[in-house]
Amino acid sequence: MKVTEYFEKANGQTLISFEVLPPLKGGSMKAIFDTLDPLMEFKPPFIDVTYHREEFIYKMRKSGYYEKTAIRKRPGTVGICAAIMHRYGVDAVPHLLCGGFTKTDTENALVDLNFLNINNVLALRGDARKFDGKFIPEEDGHAYALDLVKQIEDMNNGKYLHSDVENGTPTEFCIGVAGYPEKHFESPNMDFDLMHTKAKVDAGADYIVTQMFFDNRKFFDYVERCRAVGIDVPIVPGLKPITKRYQLSSLPRIFHTDLPEDLVNAVQNAKDKEGRRQAGIEWCIQQSKELKEAGVPCLHYYTMGDSDTIRSIVEKVY
Ligand code: FAD
């Protein structure tokens, strides 16, 4: 079923969903099942699986020279989606990137997903690779998530890339896209950011999932600003609890999010590791309760493989 159909069927009730990331190459599906098994009692209708493109690493050779090597550290998104659907009987939402894909690669990936009966995707641009400095699309790939949305929407209308495909079977992908309550870090301002988010919705995106945030006011303001510019699709808040002290600096650096002073103080003033984890959990519970009270369509938790923490939160909210 499509993600948006779940929202409609819920009739104003707030749903719950989880996001998992593929294990490091060489790992097994057990890691995913170990994360999800304890969370399935909360009945998520769908589970997102992130996508990780290849990265470059530099390996020193015997000669002393460094060799640039491409590796994919976390492959397996599509296989994991199929395994999740098979084991739990819920829908899986693979993340699909512009980065690392030509348009033909994208079309082939969508054909595979369609044949697997996976008809939800989260369409994203992806970040720049570590050594690139800025996002560089593949030659004949997409530069922005907008163009990826357009390609998926074309396939939903039976339009494939190659003109020799006549009467192509229309796919039925429900398309999610990313939104940023604190704006995307490359956008010069929020208006610019909203204009490009609206373009994704106008091109066919059915719903938005937000980047993590720790201050609900930012989410509520964001939704208000989206509505004011005519973005009328469901907006799902993305939530991640802080559990460790180093995240006070790593999360703002990686995800470009502000941490409220009260949260920072609570984590910093806790007397030990467990106290810091509890402070982060308590914050996320309060955030979740307020968002649920406000009637958001779904609470989307970034699990990062830590099901114990996510369980402690969700059981207090549902
Ligand atoms: P876009 O919508 O393309 O926007 C990127 C930037 O370009 C924005 O600043 C936008 O304003 C600007 N822009 C858009 N169009 C134009 C234009 N025509 N001209 C000029 N500027 C323009 N990354 C992964 O690698 N794997 C994942 O699985 C993953 N999952 C994610 C899930 C969620 C819910 C979120 C919020 C993010 C996720 N990301 C993931 C990170 C995401 O790939 C990055 O945030 C990336 O930098 C931007 O992706 P986007 O789809 O928002 O890009």
Side-chain angles (χ1 to χ4, degrees):
M1 204 157 112
K2 293 182 180 188
V3 164
T4 46
E5 285 171 348
Y6 287 114
F7 297 156
E8 282 154 27
K9 243 181 71 184
N11 225 351
Q13 297 287 311
T14 298
L15 302 175
I16 187 163
S17 63
F18 302 114
E19 181 175 302
V20 292
L21 69 168
L24 287 167
K25 190 183 258 188
S28 78
M29 263 311 286
K30 188 174 175 303
I32 298 287
F33 294 149
D34 285 350
T35 301
L36 289 176
D37 282 353
L39 298 175
M40 293 316 286
E41 71 172 90
F42 301 113
K43 303 206 178 336
F46 60 91
I47 288 160
D48 277 50
V49 184
T50 57
Y51 192 93
H52 301 261
R53 66 177 298 189
E54 64 177 18
E55 275 292 344
F56 287 126
I57 54 162
Y58 287 85
K59 278 190 177 162
M60 197 201 258
R61 293 291 168 212
K62 275 191 190 138
S63 60
Y65 284 110
Y66 282 93
E67 188 180 71
K68 191 176 175 187
T69 315
I71 52 157
R72 271 193 69 204
K73 287 187 186 157
R74 293 180 185 274
T77 299
V78 175
I80 292 171
C81 284
I84 286 174
M85 288 167 76
H86 180 69
R87 182 175 173 103
Y88 302 113
V90 300
D91 276 289
V93 184
H95 293 189
L96 195 59
L97 301 185
C98 302
F101 282 73
T102 63
K103 289 176 195 159
T104 305
D105 293 337
T106 299
E107 185 168 275
N108 292 338
L110 289 164
V111 167
D112 275 342
L113 293 175
N114 188 39
F115 287 166
L116 283 166
N117 207 19
I118 297 175
N119 52 13
N120 294 287
V121 285
L122 195 73
L124 301 147
R125 187 195 70 181
D127 282 320
R129 281 183 298 203
K130 246 180 233 135
F131 294 101
D132 285 345
K134 65 174 186 162
F135 178 81
I136 302 172
E138 292 302 300
E139 216 180 306
D140 196 34
H142 297 304
Y144 296 107
L146 167 66
D147 306 306
L148 176 55
V149 171
K150 284 182 180 164
Q151 184 176 1
I152 304 169
E153 191 59 14
D154 275 350
M155 278 180 71
N156 281 348
N157 290 312
K159 195 174 150 205
Y160 288 67
L161 284 178
H162 302 288
S163 49
D164 53 341
V165 177
E166 280 176 24
N167 304 319
T169 309
T171 53
E172 291 186 29
F173 287 107
C174 173
I175 309 169
V177 289
Y180 302 86
E182 297 174 74
K183 87 172 181 62
H184 184 260
F185 71 102
E186 291 168 28
S187 291
N189 55 51
M190 190 51 120
D191 287 337
F192 182 97
D193 201 69
L194 288 172
M195 178 176 75
H196 290 299
T197 304
K198 182 166 188 307
K200 292 191 277 191
V201 172
D202 291 346
D206 299 292
Y207 70 103
I208 292 171
V209 185
T210 76
Q211 186 55 280
M212 65 182 73
F213 58 91
F214 296 86
D215 178 350
N216 283 353
R217 268 175 315 153
K218 296 203 169 157
F219 175 81
F220 295 134
D221 288 351
Y222 178 69
V223 173
E224 215 176 293
R225 291 186 74 165
C226 283
R227 301 307 181 218
V229 298
I231 297 172
D232 53 6
V233 295
I235 302 178
V236 173
L239 293 167
K240 153 136 189 68
I242 285 194
T243 52
K244 299 188 177 71
R245 186 161 35 199
Y246 74 80
Q247 291 171 328
L248 296 179
S249 54
S250 67
L251 296 182
R253 188 178 66 246
I254 300 168
F255 299 104
H256 310 277
T257 176
D258 267 359
L259 301 181
E261 207 178 324
D262 287 350
L263 169 61
V264 175
N265 288 341
V267 174
Q268 267 178 340
N269 296 338
K271 63 176 188 310
D272 55 17
K273 227 165 140 182
E274 183 51 24
R276 287 190 280 279
R277 180 172 166 271
Q278 284 306 328
I281 287 176
E282 192 47 43
W283 188 272
C284 194
I285 291 172
Q286 294 316 322
Q287 263 197 289
S288 306
K289 283 184 172 170
E290 191 182 22
L291 290 162
K292 186 166 173 251
E293 188 90 345
V296 299
C298 183
L299 295 171
H300 183 73
Y301 292 96
Y302 298 112
T303 66
M304 310 264 184
D306 185 355
S307 50
D308 284 352
T309 296
I310 302 297
R311 255 193 85 89
S312 323
I313 294 161
V314 179
E315 64 192 6
K316 292 275 165 44
V317 179
Y318 282 83

